[in-house]
Amino acid sequence: MRRMPLSAETAQKLAQHLKVPLEHLMHMPQHILLQKLADMAKAEAAANGEEAAKEQPNEK
């Protein structure tokens, strides 16, 4: 099985998000790695959505 082609920046962010060493991340099976990337993207999108909601005042 080939390794997942990740950029160095993405691999570091994912390792921090999962709280695992970078070496462990590089040996994860591809299907698990893809699922973890999706989870990280979803968490970042939620965090960005919360920040955007705080910046916009409620108009009624």
Side-chain angles (χ1 to χ4, degrees):
M1 182 187 313
R2 287 185 2 191
R3 288 187 181 171
M4 185 76 175
L6 293 175
S7 70
E9 181 181 336
T10 302
Q12 288 175 343
K13 286 175 67 174
L14 186 58
Q16 281 182 329
H17 178 74
L18 297 175
K19 297 176 179 72
V20 297
L22 195 56
E23 295 81 17
H24 290 201
L25 184 75
M26 292 289 103
H27 294 288
M28 277 189 185
Q30 191 171 8
H31 66 283
I32 294 174
L33 192 56
L34 287 172
Q35 180 63 44
K36 299 297 183 182
L37 276 170
D39 292 344
M40 183 181 76
K42 191 184 302 182
E44 284 184 357
N48 289 340
E50 290 175 5
E51 289 176 10
K54 289 180 184 176
E55 292 176 2
Q56 295 176 350
N58 291 334
E59 295 181 22
K60 289 186 179 182

